[in-house]
Amino acid sequence: MAFTITDECIACGVCVPECPNSAIAEGDIYTIDPAVCTECYGYFDTQQCASVCPVDCCIPDENHKESKDELKEKALKAHPDKKDWKF
Ligand code: SF4
Ligand code: SF4
């Protein structure tokens, strides 16, 4: 499933450069585009936004649940040059 950012966000911005999908947008509270977030699938074993967030406000988005196959499909669509990825 995609991740989402709660209203605990302090808009520090450290998550933005860590996202392999450029899924995080700036704002008073930063936001994650669920159509783009892959849970970092294919790049990292842990969600990078959640790993770096100082207030732990990056959490699984229960409204956008996806299977591993769906995440893989989304990741390959966003990164067609990565067809040789080992999933
Ligand atoms: Fe980006 Fe990964 Fe966070 Fe999704 S979980 S927003 S892909 S850093
Ligand atoms: Fe908000 Fe956390 Fe990202 Fe900072 S790292 S902008 S607090 S979601």
Side-chain angles (χ1 to χ4, degrees), residues 31-43:
T31 54
I32 292 173
D33 183 348
V36 181
C37 172
T38 61
E39 268 185 64
C40 295
Y41 200 75
Y43 277 97

Side-chain angles (χ1 to χ4, degrees), residues 42-72:
Y43 277 97
F44 303 103
D45 291 335
T46 57
Q47 291 74 40
Q48 297 301 287
C49 52
S51 295
V52 300
C53 180
V55 295
D56 296 331
C57 68
C58 301
I59 62 172
D61 184 350
E62 297 293 336
N63 293 320
H64 292 95
K65 290 185 176 178
E66 295 161 298
S67 68
K68 287 291 182 191
D69 283 345
E70 288 170 321
L71 288 173
K72 177 180 178 179

Side-chain angles (χ1 to χ4, degrees), residues 5 8-16 30 49 52-55 57-58:
I5 294 172
E8 307 285 306
C9 174
I10 58 171
C12 69
V14 301
C15 55
V16 172
Y30 281 37
C49 52
V52 300
C53 180
V55 295
C57 68
C58 301

